Structure formats: structure tokens, C-alpha cells
Amino acid sequence: MHPLEAEIRRRIALGGPMPVQQYMALCLSHPEHGYYTTRDPLGRAGDFITSPEISQMFGELIGLWAAALWHAMGEPQSLRLVELGPGRGTMMLDALRAAQVVPGFRAAVDVHLVETSPAMRAKQVQTLRKLDVPVTWHESFEEVPAGPIIVLANEFFDALPVRQAIKHFNGWYERMVLIDDAGNLAYGISNEPVPLIEHLLPEKLRDAPVATIFEWRPDNLVLEISRRLVRERGAGLVIDYGHTESAGGETLQALGNHAFADPLITPGEFDLTAHVDFQAFALSADSMGARRHGPVTQAQFLRSLGLENRAQALKNAAPQKAAEIEAAALRLTDESRTGMGSLFKVLGFGHPSLALPGFEG
Ligand code: SAH
């Protein structure tokens, strides 16, 4: 048995059933045995692959986006470029390389990485060693020092633990993880209904049928980032898969070795994620006075930032790689039902006076 499963069973035996949120948090970030704590899951040989790992074009376009935004912010002399959950550091490396064309931006930037996993931090140190800009690591966003700020997050929010409520005939109950009679990890429900859930539930779920599942994330981080963006005249970019409108339904999933698995089997060995509810996200940002842009699909966003031109320039520079570059551009913007171009959404949010590139038209 994986040491994390033993630990989860021990906690349930001692304290009773645990909320799905706590289960997910332990699976991903347990300080010794968590999925992210112990490994680098990214890349072709890993469990999943992300946009920056597919092509350098992704990070490069984000870098140019950030440089354009810095200009729109009035070219502050110092800028905190923050990334949440930077993975291998690839996006930041590509972003800053591309942004060399705007020397003022490069000179203003200091990089702040919010990363809890020691394994991923080690990767980031390696990747960003060559950079000539200061890089600081943080356990949480609150540690990032005050000042003009741009916040980036690709496939970060989907890894934050979700809470789940399930509708019964007499109300909504929290979904829990317990040990069933056969000795397996299984789902159950809380003894009491979820307090104050009516404030979280989208209108259309008020009369949802019995057994409907509703997922939500505590929004303190979104509120805190929004507050900073409004106070410091900055902006943020969230790229993730999710739904543009809050809805019922379970999206919690386990992914290992590029295939789906049962979230309750082999905790700690698979990545657990759940869709980002962009409507809930935007409402939280709004409530802090931030202006939101989009969400638009990843395909729309990358095209609007000039993916085609970028691909062409790379192909001209390395004609022998033309097919590979073309395939990567297609993959990032694939708009079929399960393609990254449509599944992934991009939401911008920031100070109300700022127009964000990439969301026009
Ligand atoms: N953005 C990267 C990696 C995505 S994987 C890319 O697109 O390739 C998710 C990243 O978030 C990993 O680096 C993981 O270690 C980190 N992470 C997960 N939960 C976190 C948390 N609560 N706080 C900070 N980082 C977290």
C-alpha cells in the first residue's frame, strides 16, 4: 500500500470520514507523500503534458503579453512577475526570452514563483538558472512583496482542492471519503447539510434533482489576488480547463500515465484535478473591484496574440523543424471537442483602467 493511503486510512479511522477537499489536498500536497511533493509529473514520459511543455511558442506569447501589459501599466520601473504553480519553469523561461525584445520590461522584472512542491522547485531552479533576472520562491501568494504586479497561472487552479456537495431530498450534504464495509475507500456524505450553501449555489441549481453534485473552491486566493491587482494597478491571466458558466456535475478526475483513473484508487500516485468554474472565479474577482476579460478559448487567445506569425518566424529560422512546429501550433489551438484549443479557457482580470491584450474582438 502507498504510504499516503495508509496515512489517509489512519486519519479516517481516527477522525471519521474526511471531506473530498481534504482528501484531494492530501493526495496532491501531503508534505512527504503528496503527488506533487514527490515527483515531476509533466512531459511526454510523465502523467500529463501542459501547453508550455508542448511548445516554446506558448510561453513566448505569454511573455509578449506581459510586456505589452507592462507598457499599458505605464511602464513601472519595477514589476513583480508572479507565476502560480510554475511546473518545470518552462513557461517563465520562454516568456522572458521572448520579452528580451522589450528591454525596459526585462530590466523592470523580478520573478516570484509560488510553489509548494520541493520536487518542482528543484526543477524550476535548474530551468531558470540561466536567467539574468532575480527569482524568488514563495509558499503562498501572500508572501509576494507589494508593488506593481502581473500574475500568471497555467493549469494551477485545477490542482487546487475542490469541495463537493451532493443533493438529497432534504438539502445539500458534503461529499466525504470513508472506509466502507468491504474495507475500501468510498464516498459518503456528511451528517449535517452544508451550512449557507444557498449563497454558493448558482441560481439554476436551486431545484436540482436528487444526486446532483456541485463543486466549488474556497475563493480566498482569488479574492487576495484581485485585491492586489486593484490596489497595485496590475493584471492576471488564468489559463485552465473548465466551464464558462457554473453548473452541476462532477469533474474531479484522476490522471496517471496519460489515462483517466478512479480518484479513490491508489491515492498519491495519480494527479487529481477538477475543472475551474470561471463564472465563480469572475464573480469573486468582480467583488473585489477587478475588471474581467473573457474567458475566451485558448485557441482564440493564442491566435489573437499572433500564434500564426510566431510559428512562421520559427519555421523560417528552422525549416527542418517546420512539421513539428506546425503540429505543436495545431495542438495548442485544436478546437475539436477534446482539443486543448477549446477545452482550455483564458480569463484575464485586473485593474479596471487596464485594457488587456488578447481579449479584443
Ligand atoms: N504551470 C505548469 C505546471 C502545472 S502543474 C505548466 O503549465 O506546465 C501544477 C503546478 O502547481 C505544479 O508545479 C505543482 O507543484 C503546483 N502546485 C500544486 N498545488 C499547489 C499549491 N497549493 N500551491 C502552490 N503550487 C501548487
Side-chain angles (χ1 to χ4, degrees):
M1 186 184 295
H2 191 280
L4 186 67
E5 179 165 358
E7 169 71 13
I8 286 170
R9 285 171 174 273
R10 193 184 64 80
R11 289 190 188 214
I12 294 174
L14 275 171
M18 66 169 68
V20 163
Q21 179 195 16
Q22 191 187 346
Y23 176 79
M24 188 172 172
L26 288 170
C27 285
L28 294 179
S29 303
H30 181 279
E32 260 180 88
H33 308 303
Y35 176 78
Y36 281 114
T37 319
T38 52
R39 78 191 82 199
D40 166 13
L42 292 160
R44 284 186 181 78
D47 284 338
F48 59 96
I49 187 160
T50 57
S51 297
E53 300 298 333
I54 288 174
S55 166
Q56 68 186 77
M57 292 183 280
F58 186 82
E60 289 171 348
L61 291 171
I62 302 288
L64 297 172
W65 179 90
L69 186 65
W70 170 77
H71 174 69
M73 287 163 73
E75 307 196 349
Q77 280 193 353
S78 97
L79 175 75
R80 322 267 177 255
L81 184 60
V82 182
E83 187 177 353
L84 311 174
R88 292 179 171 173
T90 309
M91 183 172 101
M92 189 55 83
L93 184 72
D94 293 335
L96 289 173
R97 190 185 53 247
Q100 272 167 355
V101 297
V102 188
F105 169 77
R106 275 286 300 239
V109 158
D110 47 276
V111 170
H112 294 267
L113 303 178
V114 179
E115 176 61 69
T116 44
S117 155
M120 296 316 291
R121 274 193 193 199
K123 277 275 175 195
Q124 292 151 20
V125 170
Q126 248 176 29
T127 307
L128 299 174
R129 197 162 26 203
K130 294 157 252 164
L131 273 184
D132 55 350
V133 300
V135 183
T136 314
W137 277 264
H138 304 280
E139 279 291 311
S140 73
F141 175 76
E142 285 78 4
E143 293 174 11
V144 177
I149 185 168
I150 294 177
V151 180
L152 306 171
N154 184 60
E155 287 213 45
F156 168 75
F157 282 93
D158 66 88
L160 296 188
V162 276
R163 294 179 68 176
Q164 288 186 332
I166 184 159
K167 175 79 183 284
H168 273 246
F169 64 92
N170 62 346
W172 292 83
Y173 288 74
E174 181 135 18
R175 209 165 182 215
M176 314 289 280
V177 176
L178 46 71
I179 300 169
D180 68 12
D181 293 340
N184 298 316
L185 293 177
Y187 290 121
I189 62 165
S190 56
N191 293 331
E192 300 292 329
V194 181
L196 301 175
I197 191 149
E198 58 281 6
H199 296 297
L200 293 162
L201 273 184
E203 190 75 36
K204 64 178 171 207
L205 286 189
R206 296 273 152 86
D207 300 314
V210 163
T212 302
I213 289 180
F214 173 61
E215 293 174 337
W216 77 103
R217 287 187 169 86
D219 65 352
N220 3 17
L221 178 59
V222 183
L223 294 176
E224 176 60 17
I225 297 173
S226 306
R227 200 173 62 79
R228 284 284 292 275
L229 299 181
V230 171
R231 196 177 66 198
E232 319 272 13
R233 257 189 116 251
L237 205 55
V238 173
I239 308 159
D240 227 310
Y241 49 100
H243 32 275
T244 46
E245 272 187 38
S246 302
E250 170 169 39
T251 70
L252 178 67
Q253 64 186 29
L255 192 68
N257 208 0
H258 298 267
F260 293 113
D262 179 341
L264 296 186
I265 290 180
T266 59
E269 289 186 45
F270 291 132
D271 184 33
L272 290 187
T273 68
H275 280 196
V276 173
D277 180 343
F278 281 101
Q279 187 176 3
F281 196 111
L283 281 174
S284 301
D286 283 350
S287 74
M288 283 285 137
R291 176 168 154 212
R292 71 136 123 182
H293 307 259
V296 297
T297 65
Q298 172 161 305
Q300 281 173 296
F301 186 72
L302 294 180
R303 283 196 196 113
S304 138
L305 294 186
L307 179 70
E308 247 95 294
N309 289 341
R310 193 80 204 160
Q312 195 53 54
L314 286 180
K315 284 192 275 187
N316 293 345
Q320 75 283 6
K321 290 198 173 151
E324 192 185 315
I325 294 163
E326 192 63 34
L330 276 175
R331 183 152 179 210
L332 291 176
T333 53
D334 175 5
E335 286 177 288
S336 65
R337 204 176 57 81
T338 55
M340 290 186 106
S342 59
L343 214 52
F344 279 74
K345 314 285 187 306
V346 184
L347 178 81
F349 61 127
H351 190 279
S353 69
L354 291 173
L356 307 194
F359 296 96
E360 314 83 357

